[in-house]
Amino acid sequence: MISGLCKSFQKISIQRGFEFSNSLKYTTTTTTTTVQKKTAAQLFADKTIEVPVLNFNDKLSPIENIQLSKDVFSVPLRVDLLHRMVRYQRAKSQQGTHQALNMGRMERTNKKPTRQKGSGNARKGTNHSVHFRGGARTFAPTMRSHAHDLPRKVRKLCLKVALSTKLAQNKLVVVDGFNLESHKTKELLSKLPKDWGRTLLVDSEISDFLNKSSLNVQKIDTLPQLGLNVYTILQNDTLVLTKSSVEALQARLTESDN
Amino acid sequence: MFNFGNFCKSFSKITLSNNITGFRTIVSRPNEISLNNLRDNPGAVTKKVRVGRGIGSGRGKTSTRGHSGQKARAGHNIPRAFEGGQTQLFKKMRKYGFSNARFERVLTPINFNTLDRLIRENRINPNETITMKHLFDANCTGAIKHGIKLLSDGKQNFKHKINIELSDFSAPARETVEALGGVAKNVYYDRLGLRFLLKPHKFDFVPNRARVPLKYVSKYPDHVTGYMGAYSTKGEKFLKVQEEQEQEQKQ
């Protein structure tokens, strides 16, 4: 029983400071740290992560560094939040156009098929009982929406977890912009390295050239920054954001909810 | 036999974070997260109870309903307070207490987002004094029970200079209006006066303006207050001021 209980909690995180020894007893470690005053630059560095911005048109060479907010791109990687958000999105997009007949919806004669007594067979009231062949369904599927609620702040936090996951997996790329000279697919494909795999390109607004050049490629998805969602982020291997969309995302996700 | 060393080994691989204080939240390593590896926290959801599935389930045969009796029947929606027909306990006792919650003065909120949209759509003229009548006619709120309060959502994008008279303003909203050179004025209406303001066609007389209750005096300067409206909210005699104004007009 104990081993089964402990096994199920193998991935549970515990407060820092608890240490397990060979016995079931545990000890607590207390650490005292001297707090030093930090400069404004140090405070800013504590709250941000530095990520290079790549030149999309020059073989993805680094141009500069951009500071990403830790409140958006470095939150704890909570799988339960991703799970809830993906279920929310998939349930919302479920069509729900299923239907079968139950006893109420089935329009057939209610005539008694055989007489009650004397036949030697089981009693029958109608020909479409639920246990008959060709009969009604007891709990028939109904035409309905499968959408359910998820609090707005939870949804926002889920998006932060997804972005943090991509950054932690080294699958988040920031580029200066998707500047394409034509709508040719070959031009876009020549700029994307193969080891990016399935790629999600995010810009503030999807330009016409980007839309047309990526439309026929199965491995490339494009999204405007406002439409960025958890399911699409997890579906794709690499997430490519432009610098402007990163700034808009940070502003949007760090804005307080009133 | 449980090997505690294994537990320590797997425990040391867990990614610890200073932000995490819960004990039942899964925090994974980055390479473990993918679409086919998502799961909720242990204990987050409970399985639905399925009755009538055999002796071993503990909910077979009678499906936890026992034998016979009213509660074993289909559709047994017996109210909790039902006592077999005798007068229920909550009806036998008298009513207690009083609550002022139902008389609370709840102001309807609007934001700068709404104002900006109405001005952009030319449904409100920013050059004339905006009153609750204009907002009501523009249909930007639902029913207005006690008045309208301007809040500050969307104040960054609001660039218009406006003179506006509402029941109240939040502190940042007032600062925003005044920073743009406008005037944010508090006006007091009781229910009757507010209804006359919003729907004057329903009246065949003009009701007198109500005096400001003493608890709202600080919010509404230059309004009548006191017994029969004899004073202004600034403490001066209101009628006297009126008489002096009339004399000046005569001269």
Side-chain angles (χ1 to χ4, degrees):
Chain A
M1 184 62 185
I2 288 179
S3 68
L5 184 68
C6 292
K7 194 175 180 183
S8 66
F9 289 113
Q10 278 184 23
K11 293 196 180 300
I12 286 164
S13 72
I14 299 181
Q15 268 179 345
R16 186 189 299 265
F18 280 82
E19 292 175 346
F20 277 84
S21 57
N22 283 330
S23 65
L24 284 177
K25 297 181 178 179
Y26 61 87
T27 58
T28 305
T29 308
T30 304
T31 309
T32 305
T33 312
T34 305
V35 180
Q36 298 178 352
K37 283 200 170 183
K38 298 179 177 177
T39 63
Q42 283 171 332
L43 287 174
F44 182 70
D46 281 355
K47 290 192 174 182
T48 52
I49 306 166
E50 223 173 42
V51 167
V53 179
L54 309 181
N55 192 335
F56 188 67
N57 284 324
D58 189 18
K59 295 178 182 175
L60 302 174
S61 57
I63 301 173
E64 52 176 344
N65 283 331
I66 190 176
Q67 302 288 331
L68 301 185
S69 172
K70 276 185 179 175
D71 286 339
V72 175
F73 289 92
S74 188
V75 299
L77 310 181
R78 289 185 52 181
V79 184
D80 61 307
L81 288 179
L82 297 177
H83 177 77
R84 287 174 75 186
M85 188 63 189
V86 170
R87 283 188 66 251
Y88 168 84
Q89 283 191 244
R90 305 307 291 145
K92 198 173 171 61
S93 64
Q94 187 169 349
Q95 204 172 357
T97 55
H98 38 57
Q99 181 99 1
L101 302 175
N102 59 359
M103 287 290 285
R105 276 196 290 271
M106 181 164 271
E107 287 192 13
R108 271 204 208 175
T109 175
N110 277 335
K111 175 181 162 56
K112 192 166 173 63
T114 59
R115 50 203 182 128
Q116 182 82 354
K117 295 282 191 177
S119 68
N121 292 323
R123 292 171 288 192
K124 296 176 192 169
T126 61
N127 259 333
H128 55 281
S129 298
V130 297
H131 58 298
F132 279 14
R133 180 181 180 275
R137 300 270 295 271
T138 308
F139 300 111
T142 314
M143 195 96 61
R144 67 181 172 103
S145 163
H146 291 260
H148 58 268
D149 265 359
L150 198 60
R152 182 162 34 96
K153 292 179 181 177
V154 173
R155 282 183 259 140
K156 188 185 259 193
L157 181 56
C158 292
L159 184 51
K160 294 175 185 174
V161 173
L163 293 171
S164 304
T165 301
K166 281 302 175 192
L167 187 62
Q169 292 173 344
N170 282 323
K171 294 181 174 177
L172 191 141
V173 179
V174 183
V175 296
D176 57 338
F178 301 117
N179 308 309
L180 299 173
E181 292 171 359
S182 70
H183 69 289
K184 292 296 182 181
T185 305
K186 191 179 293 181
E187 183 192 346
L188 178 65
L189 287 183
S190 66
K191 291 179 171 26
L192 301 179
K194 273 197 174 180
D195 54 0
W196 275 4
R198 184 169 173 176
T199 307
L200 174 61
L201 310 178
V202 179
D203 204 345
S204 298
E205 284 178 8
I206 301 300
S207 66
D208 201 35
F209 281 172
L210 180 62
N211 185 30
K212 284 175 174 168
S213 56
S214 62
L215 207 55
N216 206 25
V217 190
Q218 273 191 352
K219 282 190 170 182
I220 300 177
D221 287 333
T222 56
L223 272 182
Q225 172 263 132
L226 273 179
L228 192 57
N229 59 91
V230 171
Y231 181 61
T232 311
I233 289 174
L234 296 182
Q235 246 186 340
N236 288 270
D237 296 319
T238 305
L239 173 63
V240 185
L241 303 161
T242 59
K243 191 184 174 188
S244 60
S245 63
V246 163
E247 284 155 1
L249 254 183
Q250 286 194 129
R252 195 180 105 216
L253 293 180
T254 54
E255 182 184 347
S256 65
D257 299 300
N258 290 325
Chain B
M1 182 57 189
F2 174 69
N3 191 345
F4 206 82
N6 272 344
F7 183 78
C8 288
K9 188 179 178 184
S10 65
F11 177 76
S12 64
K13 291 181 179 177
I14 290 175
T15 302
L16 289 178
S17 172
N18 288 327
N19 295 328
I20 293 292
T21 55
F23 285 86
R24 290 171 67 84
T25 299
I26 303 171
V27 174
S28 284
R29 288 174 289 171
N31 59 308
E32 285 175 353
I33 300 178
S34 55
L35 257 189
N36 64 333
N37 200 20
L38 301 178
R39 60 216 178 277
D40 225 326
N41 287 326
V45 289
T46 50
K47 283 191 174 180
K48 195 170 185 179
V49 175
R50 303 171 79 239
V51 297
R53 261 80 176 182
I55 296 172
S57 69
R59 287 177 283 269
K61 197 175 145 181
T62 62
S63 306
T64 72
R65 287 182 170 219
H67 297 272
S68 301
Q70 185 179 9
K71 291 199 272 186
R73 307 299 180 202
H76 67 290
N77 299 320
I78 306 165
R80 285 303 185 95
F82 190 64
E83 298 175 21
Q86 78 170 7
T87 307
Q88 286 131 319
L89 181 63
F90 70 92
K91 288 187 179 178
K92 283 198 274 188
M93 301 174 68
R94 63 179 176 92
K95 295 185 179 180
Y96 285 87
F98 177 80
S99 175
N100 261 314
R102 60 187 301 179
F103 305 110
E104 188 186 357
R105 185 171 181 254
V106 182
L107 301 176
T108 305
I110 64 162
N111 282 281
F112 282 106
N113 293 324
T114 308
L115 272 188
D116 195 54
R117 193 188 85 237
L118 293 173
I119 294 173
R120 220 187 309 124
E121 295 171 0
N122 287 323
R123 292 162 69 187
I124 272 184
N125 187 358
N127 295 320
E128 66 182 37
T129 301
I130 301 170
T131 62
M132 288 184 270
K133 172 67 166 172
H134 295 100
L135 299 178
F136 181 74
D137 289 343
N139 203 25
C140 71
T141 70
I144 302 170
K145 275 198 166 186
H146 299 270
I148 295 181
K149 180 172 185 175
L150 181 63
L151 305 180
S152 64
D153 247 6
K155 65 185 180 189
Q156 304 94 346
N157 302 323
F158 192 78
K159 302 299 176 192
H160 303 276
K161 174 191 172 182
I162 52 169
N163 292 342
I164 184 164
E165 296 178 355
L166 299 178
S167 301
D168 206 357
F169 302 82
S170 68
R174 187 183 303 275
E175 287 164 11
T176 303
V177 172
E178 286 168 354
L180 294 164
V183 174
K185 185 180 180 186
N186 284 34
V187 287
Y188 180 76
Y189 292 96
D190 65 338
R191 302 294 298 278
L192 177 66
L194 184 64
R195 200 148 56 87
F196 176 73
L197 173 73
L198 303 181
K199 304 170 184 175
H201 53 277
K202 289 177 178 269
F203 288 76
D204 54 5
F205 71 103
V206 178
N208 289 324
R209 282 291 286 275
R211 60 182 177 90
V212 176
L214 289 182
K215 61 180 177 180
Y216 297 137
V217 152
S218 59
K219 273 182 187 276
Y220 299 102
D222 296 327
H223 278 66
V224 296
T225 187
Y227 180 69
M228 298 294 289
Y231 291 87
S232 78
T233 47
K234 289 187 172 176
E236 305 155 0
K237 279 194 173 272
F238 195 78
L239 294 179
K240 189 176 179 182
V241 171
Q242 278 185 345
E243 287 171 1
E244 287 175 355
Q245 287 175 357
E246 286 172 4
Q247 287 179 7
E248 288 172 1
Q249 285 176 5
K250 287 180 181 177
Q251 294 173 5

